[in-house]
Amino acid sequence: MRVTLQRKLNDALESSLVRFLLVGGFGEALYLALYGLVWRASGRVTTAIAIAGGICLVLNAVLHARISFRVRFHPALLLRYTMIQLLCLLLSLLAGWGLERFGTNAWAVAMLTLVIWSGTSFLLTRHSFRPQPPEATAGLASRHTSSSRR
């Protein structure tokens, strides 16, 4: 049986990991473009980081919710996503510090911390952004109704 390229692409896009990597790659490319534009306009690196990073953090939270994990976005997800990214930053800083102390090549540190950050972000975001089962969203009201019939 011959599987078409379209079918392989559709199958690949069913993987939340593939969607996560595509959204993440888009976010990184957008960050670099925004960084360049803001830096050129302002002449300040910190301004460029703050504006480009802030825009991409919010956009990535929305896109990961809607595309990577196919859940409805709400502000609580943005808070969770921000906390996850801060944890990833901390882990990457600690790993980078440790690797640098052992004399690891700077580019090897960059690649290893990229894997640590991306892997941790994927696992925690996937867990945090998972869809709620229908019975979980019914909440107290459904329990109250069933208990009042007793």
Side-chain angles (χ1 to χ4, degrees):
M1 272 184 153
R2 189 174 151 216
V3 178
T4 65
L5 180 60
Q6 179 68 31
R7 171 123 181 170
K8 285 184 179 183
L9 181 60
N10 287 341
D11 290 345
L13 290 176
E14 282 305 309
S15 166
S16 60
L17 177 60
V18 170
R19 293 190 309 268
F20 182 87
L21 292 172
L22 290 172
V23 167
F26 171 76
E28 291 300 321
L30 180 63
Y31 172 79
L32 292 174
L34 289 173
Y35 175 89
L37 288 172
V38 175
W39 177 71
R40 288 257 183 189
S42 71
R44 299 190 51 131
V45 169
T46 54
T47 301
I49 291 169
I51 291 173
I55 289 170
C56 288
L57 182 87
V58 172
L59 184 63
N60 277 344
V62 173
L63 292 178
H64 280 310
R66 299 299 301 144
I67 296 171
S68 299
F69 304 109
R70 297 177 175 167
V71 296
R72 194 172 65 89
F73 178 79
H74 51 85
L77 287 180
L78 177 59
L79 179 60
R80 280 187 254 160
Y81 185 76
T82 301
M83 299 311 289
I84 288 167
Q85 296 313 306
L86 288 172
L87 176 64
C88 292
L89 173 61
L90 178 63
L91 291 174
S92 293
L93 286 170
L94 289 171
W97 175 78
L99 290 166
E100 184 179 48
R101 287 186 52 104
F102 284 111
T104 307
N105 175 286
W107 285 109
V109 172
M111 294 307 296
L112 290 169
T113 55
L114 173 75
V115 169
I116 290 168
W117 191 316
S118 298
T120 303
S121 179
F122 173 72
L123 293 172
L124 294 176
T125 305
R126 182 176 70 174
H127 176 73
S128 181
F129 284 27
R130 72 178 180 269
Q132 295 295 316
E135 60 273 4
T137 57
L140 185 59
S142 67
R143 282 185 255 137
H144 178 71
T145 305
S146 62
S147 64
S148 64
R149 291 182 189 162
R150 291 184 207 171

